[in-house]
Amino acid sequence: MLMDFLQVGLYGVVLGSILTLGAIGVSLIYGILRFAHFAHGDLMALGAYFALSLVVGLGFPVWASAPFAIVAAALAAIAIDQIVYRRLRRVEPVILLISSFGIAIALRSIIQLVWGPHNQVYVKGIQMPWRVGDLIVKPDHVWIVLGAVVLVIALHLFLTRTKTGKAMRAMSDNMDLALVSGIPAERVIMATWAVGGGLAAVAGIFLAMDTRLHPVMGWSVLLPVFAAAILGGIGRPYGAIAGGMVIGMAMELSTMIIDPTYKPAVAFGLMVLMLIVRPQGLFKGNA
Amino acid sequence: MSLLTIEGVTGGYGGADILHGVDLRVGPGEIVVIIGPNGAGKSTLMKAAFGLVTIREGAVLFERRDITRLRPDQIVREGVSYVPQERNVFPSMTVHENLEMGAFIRDDDIRPQLDKIYDLFPRLGERRDQVAGSMSGGERQMLAMGRALMLEPKLLLLDEPTAGLSPLFMDQTFERIQSINRTGIGILMVEQNAKQALAICDRGYVLTMGRNRVEDTGASLLANKDVAEMFLGG
């Protein structure tokens, strides 16, 4: 029973790592642009498929394809923002939200057109798991968790040590004051999309490593990603880290009691509960 | 030569005009105060000098350069800094980071200027790693001014710097404004606390219903019967 718990807990940490990377982007974008970015799941999928192109086309290992996918997804995010969202910044946030819905559908269709509608994987065949005591650990799981830890630390350093990172926090804190201080809003917004898009690509690659590539992979994980962002207090990237872990754990641990099919329902339930009981998120804040 | 010249400005925030042909001038190193009843357009007049108001007629000049149509982020680069009345700090960031954000557009070494600000406001120096949102109203007002001074502006715009402060902090704030001014920085401020503001200023403008009413030196305005009756509580 304890072993089962640890084994499922491990899956929870893996899923939590993936959700965290997606939720940080959602939270950053919400903090600065004040809209819920519904295309974030499909941006994750796009990143995963960018990596697939190098894996299949050039025979690269996944880890070597990741940097390319990160850059490509960051550029895609910036392009989407410049072409679509930028024009809508002065209107109601709800219009941005709906337009991101449209972008989500468009991205999914592009993925289907370019890479096909069927399931795909980076590496064919069975991966030999390691045994740690009675615990079964897949090498991919280790990479996913380590990768997420490294990226979260890098993000922390970026937000607290660099001028652009601090400007992002400033804009999310008080947009009007940032503008009268002369902070170049459009440049910081671009950097935000680059960071959000890059992290989304990694989240997508990790999700594909853990499961498989499929055009709706991002869409189906969007709900838990939002649940994580809301749990952490949307607009607060640090909260998203905790939110991602809690949602990931809750989803996996729930499979010990109820049918795994209901995993997304667990995330949804937690999100609704959170919005009713503590809409400001787990942590106190001023936003 | 004037630092700031506002000439016959008419405008508002897109809807009905709030200002109707207002004139105002700030000389280098002067403290100028705008007083008047609620809704007279005092803050609006000051915001007009910072690109935050839609100006339909008239002009705003800074050191003879026309800044009427410039945006706030462009005006900041000309040497004007603005301290809003409310929400004038970055609450989740530390004192130090707030000041750094004030200096965002500077590419040179900002340490000498940081030291100057910590000298001027020792309280900020003691609390440089504290988060702004957890500080008192008076400390936040100091931080807001410190943030605006990071660019070493020639003109500082202050929107009701003593609003909501305790009498002790009010006195301190007026003293600080004078010490800032002594370093050669021109100051234009809107103030509810007219008596004290007129006492420290060089010149004052009385605004009513978006129009110039009286313009005189601080001392003369304090002595002016009509002004006293209207705004100084007798």
Side-chain angles (χ1 to χ4, degrees), chain B residues 116-141:
Chain B
K116 265 195 223 168
I117 299 218
Y118 288 141
D119 271 351
L120 186 65
F121 304 107
R123 194 103 180 135
L124 296 183
E126 290 162 24
R127 316 209 149 190
R128 64 184 78 191
D129 294 320
Q130 193 177 328
V131 171
S134 68
M135 300 203 303
S136 75
E139 290 166 340
R140 254 187 277 187
Q141 191 59 45

Side-chain angles (χ1 to χ4, degrees), chain A residues 18-236:
Chain A
I18 295 168
L19 297 181
T20 290
L21 294 178
I24 288 171
V26 165
S27 228
L28 274 177
I29 291 162
Y30 184 86
I32 288 170
L33 295 166
R34 299 282 148 189
F35 83 102
H37 187 225
F38 270 152
H40 215 72
D42 295 285
L43 198 57
M44 284 168 61
L46 187 69
Y49 277 95
F50 279 143
L52 182 72
S53 287
L54 266 72
V55 171
V56 173
L58 300 171
F60 276 30
V62 181
W63 63 266
S65 314
F68 161 80
I70 291 170
V71 173
L75 290 176
I78 292 172
I80 292 166
D81 178 62
Q82 290 295 310
I83 296 166
V84 183
Y85 303 145
R86 185 180 183 159
R87 298 161 200 274
L88 301 171
R89 285 219 233 290
R90 297 204 178 277
V91 299
E92 298 266 318
V94 69
I95 309 238
L96 269 168
L97 186 147
I98 302 288
S99 72
S100 77
F101 217 84
I103 293 292
I105 296 167
L107 284 179
R108 214 171 312 147
S109 309
I110 289 168
I111 289 170
Q112 270 201 43
L113 278 172
V114 176
W115 288 282
H118 50 288
N119 282 333
Q120 296 181 68
V121 289
Y122 289 132
V123 186
K124 290 207 175 71
I126 298 166
Q127 222 185 4
M128 280 311 286
W130 299 326
R131 288 191 159 274
V132 184
D134 285 334
L135 216 57
I136 299 165
V137 183
K138 283 208 293 187
D140 277 354
H141 287 165
V142 177
W143 297 132
I144 289 170
V145 175
L146 277 182
V149 169
V150 168
L151 284 172
V152 163
I153 292 171
L155 177 84
H156 170 71
L157 293 176
F158 172 72
L159 288 176
T160 53
R161 302 287 160 87
T162 70
K163 216 170 160 177
T164 307
K166 288 181 203 176
M168 278 184 197
R169 285 164 56 216
M171 280 179 61
S172 140
D173 245 16
N174 190 339
M175 180 63 96
D176 293 335
L177 191 64
L179 292 177
V180 302
S181 301
I183 292 174
E186 284 299 327
R187 240 174 58 204
V188 178
I189 289 172
M190 266 197 212
T192 306
W193 283 108
V195 172
L199 290 176
V202 179
I205 292 169
F206 285 172
L207 183 64
M209 281 162 67
D210 192 34
T211 56
R212 79 262 177 280
L213 290 115
H214 189 271
V216 295
M217 64 186 275
W219 182 247
S220 54
V221 85
L222 184 69
L223 180 74
V225 163
F226 264 93
I230 286 168
L231 209 66
I234 195 154
R236 278 186 221 106

Side-chain angles (χ1 to χ4, degrees), chain A residues 159-160 162-171 173-184 187-188 286, chain B residues 50 52 72-73 76-77 82 84 87-94 97 100-107 147 151:
Chain A
L159 288 176
T160 53
T162 70
K163 216 170 160 177
T164 307
K166 288 181 203 176
M168 278 184 197
R169 285 164 56 216
M171 280 179 61
D173 245 16
N174 190 339
M175 180 63 96
D176 293 335
L177 191 64
L179 292 177
V180 302
S181 301
I183 292 174
R187 240 174 58 204
V188 178
N286 44 57
Chain B
F50 203 69
L52 293 166
D73 58 304
V76 141
R77 286 168 193 272
Y82 168 66
R87 290 173 41 83
N88 51 20
V89 296
F90 299 110
S92 80
M93 304 179 84
T94 65
E97 288 173 332
E100 281 183 311
M101 287 300 106
F104 190 89
I105 59 175
R106 288 178 66 153
D107 291 321
R147 192 220 94 238
L151 294 176

